[in-house]
Amino acid sequence: MTGLRRASAPLKEDMFPHVLVALQESGVPRFSQGGNQGEIRAGDLTVIENARPYEIFFRSPVRTVVVRVPTHILGPRSSLLGQVAAVRLGSERPLVGAAVAFFARRPAVRPLSARPRPPCSRSPAST
């Protein structure tokens, strides 16, 4: 079983609290955060707070679209996020269905490792 885990260590200085909205396209990962657990299937979504410990496990390949939203923009209280973190939000819910339809129409996105890197700009050497 393969997985991702964020330990309970504090965020690094250059990291900001975000809510990760994960829309499952294929595969069945298991999300866990704050005592909540959920198996997320194609068409479902869940949310994870990057500032709190979490685990994501999967047994076979998965394809997930993740949208990172700064927590301060959403404004929900931490207790509210804690209630829905890592919980399966199924496509039978109107808001989830709308999100699924929106992301299904997006153009294919290449993995970050496959994107061309911009050329490095160097300042002229002093002579």
Side-chain angles (χ1 to χ4, degrees):
M1 186 177 287
T2 306
L4 303 169
R5 174 181 287 179
R6 187 202 185 296
S8 60
L11 288 178
K12 295 179 182 177
E13 289 179 20
D14 60 343
M15 288 183 66
F16 296 98
H18 285 85
V19 173
L20 307 174
V21 180
L23 169 65
Q24 196 61 32
E25 291 188 330
S26 65
V28 184
R30 177 179 263 316
F31 287 77
S32 175
Q33 185 171 51
N36 295 336
Q37 292 185 13
E39 265 192 8
I40 312 303
R41 300 182 182 282
D44 294 343
L45 64 84
T46 193
V47 297
I48 294 288
E49 293 179 81
N50 77 329
R52 296 179 44 226
Y54 64 84
E55 295 179 331
I56 305 169
F57 294 107
F58 38 94
R59 293 186 178 153
S60 59
V62 299
R63 185 174 169 108
T64 307
V65 174
V66 178
V67 178
R68 189 174 70 174
V69 182
T71 304
H72 73 274
I73 289 176
L74 293 177
R77 294 185 309 258
S78 182
S79 62
L80 177 60
L81 284 172
Q83 291 174 23
V84 298
V87 172
R88 176 191 169 269
L89 301 171
S91 58
E92 67 276 359
R93 297 178 182 208
L95 181 59
V96 175
V100 169
F102 174 78
F103 287 111
R105 290 191 310 262
R106 80 187 196 306
V109 177
R110 292 183 293 177
L112 289 175
S113 60
R115 294 181 185 170
R117 294 185 180 185
C120 294
S121 60
R122 296 185 180 187
S123 56
S126 303
T127 56

